[in-house]
Amino acid sequence: MFKIEIPEKAKQIINQLEQAGYEAYVVGGPVRDCILGKCPTDWDITTSASPYQVKEIFSYTIDTGIAHGTVTVMMGKEPFEVTTYRVDGEYRDHRRPEEVCFTKSLKEDLLRRDFTINAMAYNDRDGLIDYYGGAEDLKKKTIRCVGDARRRFDEDALRILRALRFQAQLGFVIEEETKQAIQKQAKFLKDISAERIQTELTKLLLSDHPETILDAYDLGVTKVVLPEFDRMMETPQNNPHHCYNVGVHTVEALKNTEPDHILRWTLLLHDVGKPEARVEGKIKDSFQGHNTIGEEVSRKILKRLKFDNQTIKQVTRLVYWHDVRFGSLDEVSKKTVRRWASRISVPLFEKLLKVQQADISAQSTFMQEEKQQILDRTRLLFEEIKEEEDCLQVKDLALDGKDLISLGMKPGREIGEMLAGLLELVLEDPAKNKREVLEQAVRKKRGEL
């Protein structure tokens, strides 16, 4: 019999529920992950006990979503969601049921779930419970809705994005009937909250297969949740530097960077300004100012998707600077790299180099070797600058505002301007970042020498 190693605390919950006369199983994602040989991070439990019966059995519970049958059972400091078998009522908004009815049937409970691979249950006594062929679909690497696909998506349109996200994370394919239902019902994603859409899109982008965004485009999903990507897919790049249209270039760049959410969202949006900036020419197209346009479009997209301010700030700045050139191979020096790193900020400059690497790798071979040499030299010099701990920010100067006040300057704008001037001096020559040298520079600027 197939065996899952259930953590002791989850097993204890199941045992206590069974001893009280109820059924209980681990369910959904943990079962799927164990079959795939992965280690689950959460262990959800389903039971025939009602929420109030669960609360009677365990001493420390939290009413997480008691109206929908979910109670969080605390085992020490570790939470476990325990949900009563249920049958969902009518869905009118493509988001949540109008009502739920509790049931004593595990089979009915599993029928309401999204995909067969998430509709399996397990306990040590009964083994794997798989009424809808989830284990077989895992073998076939297939994502298939439980029962009628159109009904599943009609119940909760977010399942459309979840299907694509699982495809991206698992490297599976979506079964044909499920795919057809996605095409027909993608329009209902307009009823889903921006926060839920953001979460699923980010998981898709951070997966091993971010190119799944192309499937989302083909199935009409991005038309609803990210129409700007559709415009990118429809924008050619008749330019020697490129061999793909804007959208495909974007996807190729995405595939060539690490799964960091700032980097992946930056690569997704780095050329989002090109459709508007494109000027068609007889010999080649031009995209002048696409970085400036892209910065604003990116900000609108990220705000629409309810991203936090820090993510918005970093991604939009990287979109703005993604196309910056550091000069020819002969012109790139520690001095120029220090100035760029100081201007953009050290953490963002590190990310910018990764963005540019992914961008170059998704372009044509035209001048690619030269671009790569410039980027490699810039990266090498930047590493040396960090190792040498060169001053790149005002806060790293050997003098601060209090020191300037002690030298006779009054608090206010003049101090900020003086510190900026001292930073320029040090960026030119890091050896000048010494207190006595900077004090002398201050006196000279104030006409005291």
Side-chain angles (χ1 to χ4, degrees):
M1 186 174 73
F2 177 75
K3 177 77 173 174
I4 287 178
E5 291 297 328
I6 303 174
E8 280 304 315
K9 290 179 179 177
K11 190 181 296 186
Q12 186 179 339
I13 292 173
I14 291 172
N15 290 341
Q16 285 185 240
L17 286 164
E18 288 182 336
Q19 288 166 11
Y22 304 107
E23 295 177 4
Y25 301 84
V26 290
V27 69
V31 181
R32 178 198 68 227
D33 288 346
C34 286
I35 294 174
L36 289 172
K38 298 181 179 182
C39 185
T41 54
D42 298 304
W43 291 84
D44 296 331
I45 296 166
T46 189
T47 180
S48 59
S50 73
Y52 297 101
Q53 289 166 335
V54 172
K55 288 167 65 67
E56 287 176 3
I57 294 169
F58 298 97
S59 58
Y60 184 7
T61 64
I62 301 169
D63 295 352
T64 312
I66 200 163
H68 291 84
T70 301
V71 174
T72 296
V73 174
M74 299 299 298
M75 300 297 285
K77 295 183 179 179
E78 194 172 353
F80 292 86
E81 284 195 357
V82 178
T83 303
T84 302
Y85 299 165
R86 75 183 205 211
V87 177
D88 293 340
E90 185 181 359
Y91 288 76
R92 293 181 182 173
D93 59 3
H94 312 293
R95 288 179 292 178
R96 62 181 74 86
E98 293 294 308
E99 60 180 1
V100 300
C101 300
F102 300 138
T103 176
K104 295 298 181 181
S105 169
L106 174 62
K107 188 172 185 178
E108 286 186 339
D109 178 81
L110 295 177
L111 179 60
R112 72 176 174 81
R113 296 175 184 267
D114 52 8
F115 310 112
T116 60
I117 60 174
N118 297 331
M120 294 178 285
Y122 176 91
N123 67 22
D124 289 337
R125 185 184 62 190
D126 300 326
L128 182 67
I129 305 297
D130 180 18
Y131 295 116
Y132 305 107
E136 183 63 26
D137 282 340
L138 284 177
K139 285 182 185 177
K140 295 190 296 185
K141 298 187 175 182
T142 298
I143 295 164
R144 177 168 59 93
C145 283
V146 177
D148 180 8
R150 293 186 67 175
R151 182 174 178 181
R152 294 290 85 80
F153 295 139
D154 194 49
E155 290 168 348
D156 184 356
L158 188 70
R159 288 170 172 169
I160 291 169
L161 279 178
R162 280 171 58 82
L164 289 158
R165 185 252 289 183
F166 282 123
Q167 175 185 340
Q169 289 180 325
L170 301 175
F172 284 16
V173 295
I174 300 175
E175 175 263 344
E176 192 58 36
E177 183 184 335
T178 302
K179 193 181 291 186
Q180 289 175 9
I182 289 174
Q183 285 182 302
K184 290 177 180 177
Q185 293 174 277
K187 59 188 177 184
F188 295 133
L189 282 164
K190 64 179 175 52
D191 298 323
I192 302 301
S193 72
E195 291 88 348
R196 295 176 81 196
I197 290 171
Q198 178 217 119
T199 297
E200 293 300 327
L201 284 177
T202 298
K203 288 178 179 178
L204 186 157
L205 291 176
L206 293 180
S207 74
D208 289 340
H209 299 281
E211 68 274 13
T212 303
I213 194 79
L214 288 173
D215 295 277
Y217 166 73
D218 290 336
L219 294 172
V221 172
T222 53
K223 182 179 179 180
V224 183
V225 300
L226 195 65
E228 295 85 357
F229 184 75
D230 288 48
R231 287 196 66 196
M232 293 160 68
M233 287 296 296
E234 295 156 7
T235 303
Q237 296 192 97
N238 300 317
N239 186 293
H241 292 277
H242 289 280
C243 52
Y244 306 112
N245 69 31
V246 176
V248 175
H249 160 75
T250 294
V251 172
E252 290 300 312
L254 271 173
K255 289 159 57 179
N256 285 298
T257 192
E258 65 195 74
D260 169 272
H261 92 284
I262 297 294
L263 292 176
R264 289 274 172 99
W265 272 101
T266 298
L267 266 306
L268 179 65
L269 300 175
H270 77 283
D271 278 346
V272 74
K274 279 190 171 180
E276 185 177 337
R278 179 176 178 250
V279 174
E280 188 175 357
K282 290 183 179 180
I283 301 175
K284 66 178 181 179
D285 297 343
S286 64
F287 300 91
Q288 190 170 356
H290 77 276
N291 62 318
T292 304
I293 297 169
E295 179 187 27
E296 288 308 308
V297 175
S298 297
R299 183 174 287 108
K300 290 177 183 176
I301 292 170
L302 297 171
K303 284 187 175 181
R304 184 177 77 222
L305 292 174
K306 307 295 184 183
F307 273 95
D308 61 279
N309 290 335
Q310 193 58 33
T311 297
I312 294 172
K313 180 180 178 181
Q314 290 186 54
V315 172
T316 53
R317 279 180 63 82
L318 286 169
V319 168
Y320 179 80
W321 290 112
H322 82 273
D323 215 26
V324 69
R325 294 291 172 256
F326 304 116
S328 67
L329 192 59
D330 293 334
E331 292 170 336
V332 178
S333 65
K334 283 190 177 180
K335 186 187 300 184
T336 60
V337 174
R338 278 195 300 268
R339 290 190 178 280
W340 278 114
S342 176
R343 185 174 184 179
I344 295 171
S345 87
V346 172
L348 274 191
F349 191 75
E350 290 184 8
K351 290 185 182 295
L352 177 63
L353 295 179
K354 293 177 180 180
V355 168
Q356 290 204 339
Q357 181 61 70
D359 194 9
I360 290 171
S361 68
Q363 295 175 4
S364 72
T365 57
F366 178 69
M367 294 182 67
Q368 192 173 55
E369 185 177 350
E370 180 183 336
K371 294 173 196 173
Q372 189 64 57
Q373 288 176 342
I374 293 170
L375 184 60
D376 288 344
R377 178 161 176 76
T378 301
R379 188 186 294 113
L380 176 65
L381 293 176
F382 182 56
E383 290 302 318
E384 291 178 3
I385 288 166
K386 288 194 297 179
E387 287 176 12
E388 293 163 5
E389 298 183 339
D390 288 355
C391 173
L392 300 174
Q393 306 167 84
V394 166
K395 70 180 183 66
D396 295 325
L397 286 169
L399 284 184
D400 59 20
K402 290 180 181 178
D403 295 320
L404 295 181
I405 291 172
S406 69
L407 290 173
M409 294 183 67
K410 295 180 180 179
R413 189 174 68 180
E414 186 185 7
I415 284 183
E417 292 174 347
M418 181 63 76
L419 289 171
L422 294 176
L423 180 60
E424 282 295 311
L425 187 69
V426 170
L427 290 174
E428 188 76 17
D429 182 1
K432 291 183 177 179
N433 191 31
K434 295 183 176 64
R435 185 182 182 89
E436 59 274 15
V437 175
L438 297 183
E439 284 182 353
Q440 187 175 19
V442 170
R443 292 190 179 97
K444 185 175 183 180
K445 285 189 177 186
R446 300 189 73 206
E448 297 175 8
L449 292 178

Coordinates of all heavy atoms in Angstrom, one line a residue, residues 4 17 68 86 106 123 156 177-178 190 258 261 272 282 293 296 301 327 334 343 380-381 410 417 423 433:
I4 N 2.5 7.5 3.0 CA 2.9 8.8 3.2 C 3.4 9.0 4.6 O 2.7 8.6 5.6 CB 1.8 9.8 2.9 CG1 1.5 9.9 1.3 CG2 2.1 11.2 3.4 CD1 0.4 10.8 0.9
L17 N -9.3 12.8 16.1 CA -10.6 12.9 15.4 C -11.2 11.5 15.2 O -12.4 11.3 15.4 CB -10.4 13.6 14.0 CG -10.2 15.1 14.1 CD1 -9.7 15.7 12.8 CD2 -11.5 15.8 14.5
H68 N -17.2 28.6 6.5 CA -16.9 27.7 5.4 C -16.3 26.4 5.9 O -15.7 25.6 5.1 CB -15.9 28.4 4.4 CG -16.6 29.5 3.7 ND1 -16.7 30.8 4.2 CD2 -17.2 29.5 2.5 CE1 -17.3 31.5 3.3 NE2 -17.6 30.8 2.3
R86 N -17.5 19.3 2.8 CA -18.6 20.2 2.5 C -18.9 20.1 1.0 O -18.2 19.6 0.2 CB -18.2 21.7 2.8 CG -17.2 22.3 1.9 CD -16.8 23.7 2.3 NE -16.3 24.5 1.1 CZ -15.4 25.4 1.1 NH1 -14.9 25.8 2.3 NH2 -15.1 26.1 0.0
L106 N -16.8 12.0 2.0 CA -15.5 12.5 1.5 C -15.5 12.6 0.0 O -14.9 13.6 -0.5 CB -14.4 11.5 2.0 CG -13.0 11.8 1.4 CD1 -12.4 13.1 1.8 CD2 -12.0 10.7 1.8
N123 N -4.9 8.7 4.8 CA -4.5 8.5 6.2 C -3.9 7.1 6.3 O -4.0 6.3 5.3 CB -5.7 8.7 7.1 CG -6.8 7.7 7.0 OD1 -6.6 6.6 6.4 ND2 -8.0 8.1 7.4
D156 N -15.1 29.3 -9.5 CA -14.0 30.2 -9.0 C -13.1 30.4 -10.2 O -12.3 29.5 -10.6 CB -13.3 29.6 -7.8 CG -12.2 30.5 -7.3 OD1 -12.0 31.6 -7.9 OD2 -11.5 30.2 -6.3
E177 N -9.9 19.4 -22.6 CA -11.2 19.9 -22.2 C -11.0 21.1 -21.2 O -11.8 22.1 -21.2 CB -12.0 18.8 -21.5 CG -13.4 19.2 -21.1 CD -14.2 18.2 -20.4 OE1 -13.9 17.0 -20.6 OE2 -15.1 18.5 -19.6
T178 N -10.1 20.9 -20.3 CA -9.8 22.0 -19.3 C -9.3 23.2 -20.0 O -9.7 24.3 -19.7 CB -8.7 21.5 -18.3 OG1 -9.2 20.3 -17.7 CG2 -8.4 22.5 -17.3
K190 N -12.1 38.9 -14.6 CA -12.4 40.3 -14.3 C -13.0 40.4 -12.9 O -13.0 41.5 -12.2 CB -13.3 41.0 -15.3 CG -14.7 40.4 -15.4 CD -15.5 41.1 -16.4 CE -16.9 40.4 -16.6 NZ -17.6 40.2 -15.4
E258 N 17.4 34.4 -12.7 CA 17.1 33.6 -11.5 C 15.7 34.0 -11.0 O 15.1 35.0 -11.3 CB 18.1 33.9 -10.4 CG 18.1 35.4 -9.9 CD 19.3 35.7 -9.1 OE1 20.4 35.9 -9.7 OE2 19.2 35.8 -7.8
H261 N 11.7 37.7 -7.4 CA 10.4 38.4 -7.8 C 10.7 39.8 -8.4 O 10.0 40.2 -9.3 CB 9.4 38.4 -6.7 CG 9.3 39.6 -5.8 ND1 10.3 39.8 -4.8 CD2 8.5 40.6 -5.8 CE1 10.0 40.9 -4.2 NE2 8.9 41.4 -4.8
V272 N 7.8 47.0 -21.8 CA 6.4 47.3 -21.9 C 6.1 48.6 -22.5 O 5.0 48.8 -23.0 CB 5.7 47.1 -20.5 CG1 6.0 48.3 -19.6 CG2 4.2 46.9 -20.6
K282 N 11.7 52.6 -42.6 CA 11.9 51.8 -43.9 C 12.9 50.7 -43.7 O 12.8 49.6 -44.3 CB 12.3 52.8 -45.0 CG 11.1 53.7 -45.4 CD 11.6 54.6 -46.6 CE 10.5 55.5 -47.1 NZ 10.9 56.3 -48.2
I293 N 8.6 55.6 -21.0 CA 7.2 55.2 -21.1 C 7.0 53.9 -20.3 O 6.0 53.8 -19.5 CB 6.8 54.9 -22.6 CG1 6.9 56.2 -23.4 CG2 5.4 54.3 -22.7 CD1 6.9 56.0 -24.9
E296 N 6.4 54.4 -16.5 CA 5.1 54.8 -16.1 C 4.1 53.7 -16.3 O 3.2 53.5 -15.5 CB 4.7 56.0 -16.9 CG 5.4 57.3 -16.5 CD 5.3 57.5 -15.0 OE1 4.2 57.5 -14.5 OE2 6.3 57.7 -14.4
I301 N 0.6 49.2 -13.9 CA 0.4 47.8 -13.8 C 0.5 47.3 -12.4 O -0.3 46.6 -11.8 CB 1.3 47.0 -14.8 CG1 0.9 47.3 -16.2 CG2 1.2 45.5 -14.5 CD1 1.9 46.7 -17.2
G327 N 29.1 52.8 -21.8 CA 30.1 53.3 -22.6 C 30.7 52.2 -23.4 O 30.3 51.0 -23.3
K334 N 36.5 52.0 -13.5 CA 36.0 52.0 -12.1 C 35.3 53.3 -11.8 O 34.3 53.4 -11.0 CB 37.2 51.8 -11.1 CG 37.6 50.3 -11.0 CD 38.5 50.1 -9.8 CE 38.9 48.6 -9.7 NZ 39.8 48.4 -8.6
R343 N 24.6 56.3 -8.4 CA 23.3 57.0 -8.9 C 22.1 56.0 -8.8 O 21.0 56.5 -8.4 CB 23.5 57.4 -10.4 CG 22.4 58.1 -10.9 CD 22.7 58.6 -12.3 NE 21.7 59.4 -12.9 CZ 21.7 60.0 -14.1 NH1 22.8 59.8 -14.9 NH2 20.7 60.7 -14.6
L380 N 32.9 42.9 -13.5 CA 34.2 42.7 -12.8 C 34.6 43.9 -12.0 O 35.1 43.7 -10.8 CB 35.2 42.3 -13.9 CG 36.7 42.1 -13.4 CD1 36.8 40.9 -12.5 CD2 37.6 42.0 -14.6
L381 N 34.5 45.0 -12.6 CA 34.9 46.3 -11.9 C 34.1 46.5 -10.7 O 34.5 47.0 -9.6 CB 34.9 47.5 -12.9 CG 35.9 47.4 -14.0 CD1 35.7 48.6 -15.0 CD2 37.4 47.4 -13.5
K410 N 25.4 75.8 9.0 CA 24.0 75.8 9.6 C 23.2 74.7 9.0 O 23.3 74.4 7.8 CB 23.3 77.1 9.4 CG 24.0 78.3 10.1 CD 23.3 79.6 9.8 CE 23.9 80.8 10.5 NZ 23.2 82.0 10.2
E417 N 23.8 69.9 0.1 CA 24.5 70.2 -1.1 C 26.0 69.9 -0.9 O 26.7 69.5 -1.8 CB 24.3 71.6 -1.6 CG 22.8 71.9 -2.0 CD 22.6 73.4 -2.3 OE1 23.4 74.2 -1.9 OE2 21.5 73.7 -2.9
L423 N 30.6 63.7 -2.0 CA 30.5 62.4 -2.6 C 31.0 62.4 -4.0 O 31.7 61.4 -4.4 CB 29.0 62.0 -2.6 CG 28.7 60.6 -3.2 CD1 29.4 59.5 -2.5 CD2 27.2 60.4 -3.2
N433 N 38.4 59.8 0.7 CA 37.4 59.6 1.7 C 38.1 59.5 3.1 O 38.0 58.5 3.7 CB 36.5 58.4 1.4 CG 35.3 58.4 2.3 OD1 34.8 59.4 2.7 ND2 34.8 57.2 2.6

